[in-house]
Amino acid sequence: MRFRRRESDLKDWAVQKDRRFRELMVAAQAGDRKAYGDLLRSIVPVIGRLARKNRIERDLVDDLIQDVLLTIHRARHAYDPQRSFTVWVAVITQRRSVDLMRRQQRQRQSANDSMLQHQEDVETDLPSANLDREETRRAVRQAVDTLPAGQREAVLRLALEEQSLQEASAETGRSVGSLKVNLHRALKALRGRLTLRTGE
Amino acid sequence: MAGGNQDHDAVNTMIERLVADLAPVPPVTSPGRTMATWLGVVFAFFVMLLPFGDFAALIARLQSAPDMWLAIVGAILTSITAAWTAFLFNLPDRTRAWALLPMPPMALWVGASGMGCLREWSLPEFGEIPAHEMIDCFAIIVAVSIPLSVMMLFTLRRGYSLMPRAVLVFAGLSVAAAASVILQLFHPFDATAIDLAVHFLAIMIVVVGMRLFGGRAIGRAQFA
C-alpha cells in the first residue's frame, strides 16, 4: 500500500514537473528570457540522466547536453504545448545521442585508418632486407628518441602502446587534433630518418 | 576534474548565449491543420486542371475497369498518408513508426496498377500504348509534380525535423502519388508493364529530386 502511494506520489510529482516545464516553454516561445533561462537550467540534469541511460561516455555527456540545448533552441517554435515537454526533450536527447555515437565511431575509424596507413607506410619503406630484426628495433628506438617531446609522446602512446585517441588525450591533456598532427609528423620524420640511415 | 568544471562552464555559457539570443516565435501549425491546407491545395490544383483533361473518358474507363478504382484509391491514400508522415516527421518528437503508414496503400496502388498489366497480357486485342503516349505520361507526372513540390516545400518550411531526409522522401512520395492521380485526367488507360516502369521512373525522379534539392530550398541547418 505504501509502495503504491509512493509510486502515485512520484507520478504526481513528474506530472507537476512536466506542467511547470510546459508553462516555462510557452513563456519562452513568447520571448520571456527569464523563463527560458530557468527552463534550460532545469532540464540540464534531465538531459544528463537521459544521456547516461543512453550509455553516452562520461566525457561526452556535456557535449551532448550542449547539442540538445542548441536543438531545443532551434526547434522551440515546433513544440506543441498540448504535448509533454519531458517526452519532447527525451526524444530529442535520444536522437542526438545516436548522432553523437555515430560521429564518435566515424572519428575513431578515421583515426585508426590513418594510423594503420602510416604504420604500413613505415613498415614497407623500412629497408628490412639490409638490417636484421634486432637492428631494426634498435634503429626505430633511436629514431623515436630523437623526436621532439610531443611527437615522441604521440608515437609511444598511439602506435606502440595502442591507446585510443580519447585515452591518450585524457592522459596527456592534449587535444585529439593535436595528437593526430604530432603522430603524422612523427611518422613522417621516422620514415625520413630510417631511410637516410640505410642509405636508400 | 578541472576538465569537468570547464565543461559545466561551457554549458552555462551556452545557456547564457541562448537566452540572450531568444526572440518570440509563433508556434508551428499543427499537423492536422497543415494536412487540411495541403489537401485543399491539391484539390484546387486538380479542379484547375479539369478543363484541360478528359474527365468523361476517365469515368467511362472506371466503369469498365473496376480495378482502376483500386489503383486511383491506392494512389490517393498513398498521397494522403505519405503527406501525413512527412508533416509528422517535420516535428522533432514523433516516432519513426509513422513511416509504415503509407506502406499498405502503396501496396494497393502498385498491385492494382499491375492488374492493368495482366489484363494487357491476357487480352492482346487491347494492343500496345504508343511510345509517345508513354513519354507524355512521364512528362505529365514530372511537370505536375513541380508546382506540387513547390507547394509542399512551402508547407514544410516552418517545421524542425531531426529526420530531414525522411521528411523529403515522404513528401516526394506524396507529391508523386498526387501527380499520378491527376495524370488519370489525361491518360485514362490501363497501365502496361512499360507504362508502369515509366510511371515508376517518373515517381523516383520526383522523390529523389525532392530529397536532393528540397533540403536546400527549406534551409535546414542540420541537413547533411
Side-chain angles (χ1 to χ4, degrees):
Chain A
M1 182 73 92
R2 214 171 7 160
F3 174 76
R4 279 206 189 132
R5 187 176 155 193
R6 216 166 156 195
E7 199 183 346
S8 166
D9 287 345
L10 274 172
K11 204 173 164 187
D12 288 341
W13 174 79
V15 166
Q16 280 174 20
K17 197 170 161 190
D18 187 66
R19 192 177 301 138
R20 175 74 184 134
F21 286 158
R22 280 152 66 172
E23 287 165 4
L24 288 173
M25 188 59 173
V26 168
Q29 285 176 328
D32 184 336
R33 287 182 179 169
K34 184 181 178 310
Y36 192 44
D38 291 344
L39 175 67
L40 294 184
R41 278 183 279 273
S42 300
I43 63 172
V44 165
V46 174
I47 300 169
R49 276 195 297 277
L50 291 166
R52 285 185 284 279
K53 203 172 156 189
N54 289 329
R55 303 209 178 124
I56 298 295
E57 292 169 20
R58 192 189 285 185
D59 54 349
L60 295 176
V61 168
D62 280 339
D63 285 349
L64 178 68
I65 289 172
Q66 290 179 63
D67 220 353
V68 172
L69 290 178
L70 188 58
T71 303
I72 287 171
H73 184 71
R74 287 177 174 160
R76 65 191 190 279
H77 65 286
Y79 168 67
D80 178 358
Q82 303 298 320
R83 297 172 70 87
S84 161
F85 183 80
T86 314
V87 170
W88 195 71
V89 169
V91 174
I92 292 174
T93 304
Q94 202 270 334
R95 300 255 163 88
R96 283 301 183 217
S97 299
V98 170
D99 292 343
L100 183 64
M101 287 194 283
R102 279 188 190 146
R103 263 201 317 271
Q104 287 297 306
Q105 186 66 24
R106 277 199 298 270
Q107 283 172 2
R108 276 192 192 127
Q109 190 60 42
S110 169
N112 286 340
D113 287 349
S114 71
M115 279 194 318
L116 274 172
Q117 183 58 48
H118 278 298
Q119 204 167 337
E120 281 170 15
D121 288 347
V122 169
E123 284 169 3
T124 55
D125 285 351
L126 275 176
S128 53
N130 297 330
L131 293 172
D132 66 29
R133 189 179 284 178
E134 188 50 43
E135 275 209 46
T136 306
R137 270 201 217 108
R138 202 179 304 128
V140 170
R141 266 202 306 275
Q142 283 172 353
V144 169
D145 286 341
T146 62
L147 292 173
Q151 292 179 22
R152 187 169 62 245
E153 189 178 50
V155 168
L156 289 173
R157 286 182 182 274
L158 298 172
L160 299 178
E161 292 172 20
E162 293 184 341
Q163 286 185 344
S164 71
L165 281 164
Q166 276 69 35
E167 285 165 357
S169 172
E171 287 184 23
T172 61
R174 293 182 191 273
S175 69
V176 165
S178 169
L179 283 167
K180 278 161 95 169
V181 166
N182 278 336
L183 178 66
H184 171 78
R185 286 177 181 163
L187 292 175
K188 197 173 167 188
L190 284 173
R191 193 184 306 131
R193 285 170 201 185
L194 290 168
T195 306
L196 273 177
R197 187 187 165 82
T198 60
E200 289 187 13
Chain B
M1 277 304 155
N5 284 341
Q6 279 173 355
D7 288 336
H8 289 315
D9 287 342
V11 170
N12 289 332
T13 305
M14 167 160 270
I15 290 175
E16 282 165 23
R17 259 186 40 223
L18 296 178
V19 168
D21 188 52
L22 184 72
V25 287
V28 72
T29 314
S30 71
R33 281 181 67 180
T34 308
M35 189 72 205
T37 306
W38 169 246
L39 289 176
V41 160
V42 173
F43 184 69
F45 196 65
F46 179 79
V47 165
M48 199 176 74
L49 290 175
L50 264 178
F52 304 98
D54 194 345
F55 193 63
L58 172 60
I59 297 297
R61 192 66 196 171
L62 286 173
Q63 283 168 346
S64 62
D67 50 87
M68 268 189 78
W69 273 111
L70 290 175
I72 289 177
V73 166
I76 291 172
L77 290 177
T78 300
S79 183
I80 291 172
T81 52
W84 181 245
T85 300
F87 297 146
L88 287 182
F89 282 178
N90 205 31
L91 301 170
D93 62 332
R94 303 305 167 109
T95 172
R96 287 174 210 261
W98 283 107
L100 298 173
L101 183 68
M103 300 302 132
M106 205 160 84
L108 174 64
W109 175 26
V110 172
S113 299
M115 283 176 71
C117 285
L118 288 177
R119 196 184 358 264
E120 293 293 331
W121 287 335
S122 60
L123 296 170
E125 64 268 23
F126 267 93
E128 285 185 7
I129 306 292
H132 73 88
E133 293 274 359
M134 286 188 271
I135 293 170
D136 287 347
C137 294
F138 180 89
I140 289 169
I141 288 181
V142 173
V144 166
S145 295
I146 292 173
L148 286 177
S149 296
V150 170
M151 290 187 276
M152 173 61 89
L153 291 173
F154 186 76
T155 309
L156 289 171
R157 76 199 186 290
R158 283 218 69 235
Y160 190 92
S161 178
L162 297 178
M163 297 181 283
R165 291 185 191 86
V167 169
L168 294 170
V169 165
F170 283 102
L173 178 62
S174 176
V175 163
S180 176
V181 172
I182 290 171
L183 170 70
Q184 300 302 323
L185 282 176
F186 306 95
H187 179 282
F189 310 118
D190 275 332
T192 62
I194 296 179
D195 248 357
L196 272 188
V198 167
H199 286 200
F200 181 72
L201 178 63
I203 287 163
M204 287 312 298
I205 286 173
V206 171
V207 171
V208 170
M210 184 73 97
R211 161 76 175 81
L212 289 176
F213 301 111
R216 210 171 296 163
I218 56 179
R220 289 280 179 256
Q222 77 273 34
F223 191 80

